Amino acid sequence: MRSVKYSGAGPASEVISITDIAIPTPGPGEVVVKVGAAGLNPVDVKIRAAATDFGPITYSDRPGWDVAGVVATVAPDVSAWSPGDRVFALAAFPAAAHTLAEYAVVAAGDLAAAPDAWTIAQAGAAPLAALTAWQALEAAAVGAGQRVLVLGGAGGVGHLAIQLAKARGAEVTATASAAKHELLRSWGADHVVDYRDEHGLASLNRVDAVIVTVDGMLPPRGTVTEGTAVITITGLSADDSALLAEWGAAPVERILVAASGGQLAEIAALADAGEVEVHLDSEFGLDELVAAQERVESGRVTGKVVVVIDRDA
């Protein structure tokens, strides 16, 4: 089978190649998935550029975590899945998973049935971003009637956080450039603000939770008062944490997404109910991975970038 391989640290154009290796076999508790599509995320390009572990995230010269496709084989002790099942997963994260290949080994517990409402490209693009959004909202204890601010509402995590917050019954405000405001509204945002509009940001009122998906961005002062939860998926300096605590934010937490087939199954149910969609910024083939990673690195992605390996999977 064909599989992506990194030769070391460096730019995508210098270190990415496609190699031929044997199709893997499943170990105990595992299945082999014939990969249809695999999403790309900022962590993919960061770990490729450094060629070393990224905090608790394990580097491998065979990359990939997002995956969607069809079950090919199962270990003898696996009863939950059968060959032919259409599935998706965030595989093994933060351990290495090797999903940017024609076949991938995935723990049975990481898998969920892929939504019927989504294409294979959407299912492959979703897992890491959707689970990050889901777990951020869980950490903030977002429920019906609460007010949520999503900073970076047009990105991979942000656009899913808007939809998942709405599915919980929250009132959502989201930031993005003015050109993307109609998209934000189409995903359910009740209020939209240009992230460059200082007056607009300053006029925002207190919210119950802030989901931060943008590096180096603090919530507008007026949105944070006693008990506002601030959950970030990016770096948070000690000074920023202290300032947020001074404003009364609680909890203030940076989260790292974890694989969860159970949570993906809940997201899939929302997708099939028409409450969550995946916006695809762009699609690339396996041989176009350099261009795909460069697209992610551009910082201009709306929604998700995905690598489609077998559209019929």
Side-chain angles (χ1 to χ4, degrees):
M1 72 169 188
R2 299 196 309 153
S3 175
V4 173
K5 183 177 177 62
Y6 297 153
S7 61
S13 60
E14 296 179 9
V15 304
I16 290 175
S17 63
I18 307 295
T19 61
D20 285 311
I21 61 174
I23 295 174
T25 56
E30 295 177 337
V31 308
V32 173
V33 175
K34 186 177 190 299
V35 180
L40 291 183
N41 303 280
V43 66
D44 292 279
V45 299
K46 290 176 181 177
I47 204 166
R48 181 222 74 228
T52 187
D53 292 352
F54 195 70
I57 302 169
T58 304
Y59 170 77
S60 172
D61 63 357
R62 289 186 51 225
W65 286 287
D66 279 339
V67 62
V70 174
V71 173
T73 57
V74 302
D77 63 338
V78 172
S79 59
W81 303 106
S82 301
D85 288 343
R86 186 173 179 266
V87 293
F88 72 143
L90 172 61
F93 194 86
H98 321 308
T99 63
L100 278 165
E102 291 178 324
Y103 291 85
V105 174
V106 183
D110 290 349
L111 290 166
D116 293 331
W118 288 354
T119 66
I120 196 67
Q122 289 175 306
L128 188 147
L131 283 172
T132 301
W134 181 278
Q135 291 167 18
L137 294 167
E138 286 280 294
V142 170
Q146 291 191 313
R147 292 169 294 180
V148 177
L149 171 62
V150 178
L151 298 179
V157 174
H159 87 290
L160 291 163
I162 291 170
Q163 296 174 74
L164 291 172
K166 290 298 295 181
R168 289 170 176 249
E171 178 183 326
V172 179
T173 300
T175 67
S177 63
K180 298 178 181 179
H181 283 184
E182 284 308 309
L183 269 177
L184 268 59
R185 292 188 181 96
S186 75
W187 297 323
D190 300 285
H191 315 286
V192 295
V193 181
D194 193 321
Y195 70 92
R196 295 162 296 195
D197 180 359
E198 294 183 6
H199 176 74
L201 293 172
S203 69
L204 294 176
N205 295 320
R206 190 256 183 194
V207 296
D208 298 291
V210 183
I211 309 300
V212 184
T213 73
V214 182
D215 284 329
M217 188 171 188
L218 278 172
R221 176 66 186 91
T223 63
V224 179
T225 60
E226 198 70 29
T228 298
V230 178
I231 310 299
T232 177
I233 66 170
T234 67
L236 191 64
S237 71
D239 287 346
D240 286 347
S241 295
L243 182 60
L244 288 166
E246 181 182 316
W247 293 352
V252 177
E253 183 180 350
R254 180 185 183 182
I255 67 163
L256 178 68
V257 66
S260 173
Q263 290 176 351
L264 280 180
E266 294 186 74
I267 293 166
L270 291 172
D272 282 333
E275 296 192 59
V276 183
E277 66 174 21
V278 181
H279 181 84
L280 296 180
D281 174 274
S282 45
E283 301 180 33
F284 297 86
L286 193 63
D287 292 317
E288 301 171 304
L289 185 61
V290 169
Q293 288 213 356
E294 289 175 344
R295 176 61 184 167
V296 174
E297 288 178 297
S298 74
R300 298 190 297 272
V301 172
T302 301
K304 288 301 307 291
V305 173
V306 66
V307 177
V308 179
I309 297 169
D310 183 351
R311 199 173 297 278
D312 296 326

